Amino acid sequence: MTTAGQSTEGGGGEEPVQDPVRTPLQEKDQGTTVKGTPAQGAKEQEPARKTGPEAERPTGPGAERPGVLRDASLSAVLAGLVTVTVSCSGPLLVVLAAAAAGHLSDEQTASWVWAACVGSGVTCAVLSWWTRMPVITAFSTPGAAVLVGSLGNYSYPEAVGAFIISGLLMALIGLTGVFGRIMRRIPPGIVAGMLAGVLFSFGAGLFSALDTAPLPVLAALATYLAVKQRSPRYAVAGALVAAVLATAVAPGFHSKPVDIGWTLPVFTAPEFSGAALVGIAIPLAVVTMASQNAPGLGVLAACGYRPNDRLLLTATGLTSSALAPLGGHAVNLAAITAAISTGEESHPDPRRRYVAGLASGFFYLLTGVCGAALVGLFAALPAELIAVIAGVALLGTISSSLAQTLADERGRDASVVTFLTTASGVTLGGIGSACWGLLLGLATHAALSVLPVRRRGRRDRGKNPTPASGDASTASSRSAAG
């Protein structure tokens, strides 16, 4: 897979169309055009038309945008549904644990869920529609994990003030563009290794569920393989239906009653303190940027997109600050769940996968409005069913990520170190394994690739003087001889 910053040349004798991002799907589309139509004829029929994820990307408010209904597909909508289902199952329980650690009331907890889901829904829908990319956002699970251990040490208004400052810090970092420039310099194999490591536990969880729920696993896997042979777009949807039906008829399954009701947000006036700034705001911003936004940009790049990091990080940071008085702790780019909506299972055409982002936004908003009911619903879903759904939905992305991780032989060691560190799940200093995998992968890349090249360059310069110094010495010797 070609990642951000790479490009390929078109066939024929005409000048290639400039496109900053190339993916295998783009090259496939371009190759079909070249084979089916002569180069000159294709140019006369459709001049300088881009292909790939950014082919129809708008350039501003007045730009013509393709119709959403025309681009909509069942596979993309289902990808959005699976994305929200996975995001609001396990991660939502971490938020509930943080709320319990902070001794929040039921109304404040429901408002926190409302703010987290509504913030994710608005940013998903607006950013996906604006950029025509499947921009998937979520509430910060590592950030909520940090709050489990620290929220009880401060009053809730102080925590709200820290949430506001944390969002502004993330927006400021994104606005400078430094974070995106750093991410674009990372070798693609390392980015793919980080993505594969992040998703590894979900792929392994699919088969670990064989111990406790063999029927749903085998039904989902068999359906996935059977449907993929005929219609790959609907393989995940078929597996989802098979898993739900198999779970419903499996012995020992008992449905739990769920209370239906609307959720109303509760406003909390913020208070600002230096202690909360150090104990909550800074750790929350660092953990969210390192463990969520960095892998989130990597997922989009690994799928062939070229995200506007300034726009995405600034928008999510400001949204976090705006919703903090209602309980939201942090909204960020998603990594694991983003891979569900950015891969080929969402849609074969990468230009139409943004619909999955719109669908995710809709289901997030529905989750927020019905937060109290859906919290109970997601808590009632069997853990094995969630594992099966997530594992099947991510099979294709895991496969392509592993292939790209091992594609470059020279950088393979660094990519493998990144993959193994990330897959280990290690957490040091409150920083998750994705960040540590990225850092250790870059250190391995520098030790094996960058530093040896620089040492060879210095040795070569020592053996061969520069032309300028050589010409000067020759001229001086000639003048001395004269």
Side-chain angles (χ1 to χ4, degrees):
M1 179 182 294
T2 308
T3 57
Q6 295 176 305
S7 62
T8 57
E9 296 183 356
E14 66 174 314
E15 182 179 354
V17 177
Q18 296 297 320
D19 190 349
V21 181
R22 294 292 184 190
T23 67
L25 287 175
Q26 291 172 296
E27 295 171 1
K28 178 180 178 182
D29 292 341
Q30 188 179 20
T32 303
T33 304
V34 173
K35 291 179 182 178
T37 308
Q40 185 63 31
K43 189 173 182 179
E44 292 176 357
Q45 293 177 5
E46 193 173 6
R49 183 172 185 264
K50 291 181 181 180
T51 60
E54 294 195 352
E56 299 182 8
R57 181 178 176 179
T59 57
E64 182 180 356
R65 299 172 182 272
V68 174
L69 293 179
R70 187 195 71 184
D71 289 340
S73 64
L74 177 61
S75 58
V77 173
L78 288 175
L81 175 61
V82 173
T83 295
V84 176
T85 301
V86 175
S87 179
C88 290
S89 52
L92 192 58
L93 298 179
V94 181
V95 172
L96 298 179
H103 308 290
L104 271 61
S105 66
D106 292 341
E107 292 76 13
Q108 290 172 328
T109 302
S111 180
W112 189 342
V113 174
W114 183 94
C117 293
V118 168
S120 301
V122 170
T123 49
C124 268
V126 173
L127 293 175
S128 295
W129 177 81
W130 181 259
T131 63
R132 286 307 192 261
M133 298 180 189
V135 179
I136 308 300
T137 60
F139 45 89
S140 175
T141 305
V146 170
L147 295 175
V148 170
S150 60
L151 192 58
N153 299 325
Y154 308 93
S155 67
Y156 187 53
E158 285 181 314
V160 170
F163 295 166
I164 295 175
I165 295 175
S166 174
L168 293 176
L169 286 175
M170 291 187 287
L172 181 62
I173 294 173
L175 188 62
T176 61
V178 174
F179 194 76
R181 286 195 294 271
I182 293 174
M183 288 299 298
R184 283 191 290 271
R185 291 180 176 273
I186 298 175
I190 292 180
V191 175
M194 178 180 64
L195 175 59
V198 168
L199 303 181
F200 174 78
S201 61
F202 288 83
L206 169 63
F207 300 98
S208 298
L210 280 170
D211 285 339
T212 54
L215 183 58
V217 173
L218 296 177
L221 192 59
T223 305
Y224 175 82
L225 297 176
V227 176
K228 190 168 186 178
Q229 293 178 1
R230 297 180 177 272
S231 181
R233 287 175 56 184
Y234 303 106
V236 173
L240 172 62
V241 173
V244 171
L245 294 177
T247 302
V249 302
F253 172 74
H254 301 286
S255 59
K256 300 177 182 178
V258 177
D259 295 330
I260 303 297
W262 301 103
T263 301
L264 296 177
V266 177
F267 179 83
T268 300
E271 295 179 3
F272 301 95
S273 68
L277 170 66
V278 176
I280 294 180
I282 294 178
L284 179 60
V286 171
V287 167
T288 301
M289 293 295 289
S291 300
Q292 296 283 161
N293 285 330
L297 291 174
V299 168
L300 287 170
C303 291
Y305 296 94
R306 190 174 184 180
N308 184 339
D309 56 276
R310 292 188 178 186
L311 171 65
L312 302 186
L313 299 182
T314 303
T316 52
L318 293 179
T319 302
S320 300
S321 296
L323 292 174
L326 303 178
H329 63 295
V331 175
N332 49 251
L333 297 178
I336 297 172
T337 51
I340 299 174
S341 294
T342 54
E344 293 187 18
E345 286 77 10
S346 173
H347 198 283
D349 186 351
R351 292 167 293 182
R352 298 176 64 179
R353 294 175 194 165
Y354 74 93
V355 176
L358 298 179
S360 298
F362 170 78
F363 290 119
Y364 265 129
L365 292 173
L366 182 62
T367 304
V369 172
C370 304
L374 290 178
V375 165
L377 175 62
F378 286 122
L381 290 176
E384 295 82 5
L385 178 60
I386 299 297
V388 171
I389 293 174
V392 171
L394 293 169
L395 276 178
T397 305
I398 294 172
S399 176
S400 61
S401 299
L402 287 174
Q404 188 176 359
T405 300
L406 303 175
D408 183 9
E409 185 175 356
R410 292 178 299 176
R412 188 173 296 169
D413 289 336
S415 302
V416 170
V417 167
T418 304
F419 165 71
L420 293 176
T421 306
T422 306
S424 70
V426 63
T427 300
L428 297 175
I431 305 298
S433 60
C435 181
W436 290 115
L438 187 63
L439 292 176
L440 291 179
L442 289 174
T444 305
H445 173 72
L448 298 181
S449 300
V450 178
L451 296 180
V453 170
R454 291 183 177 178
R455 283 196 293 266
R456 285 196 298 269
R458 286 195 293 267
R459 286 198 300 267
D460 293 341
R461 286 194 296 270
K463 294 178 181 178
N464 301 316
T466 59
S469 61
D471 293 343
S473 61
T474 302
S476 60
S477 62
R478 286 179 178 176
S479 60

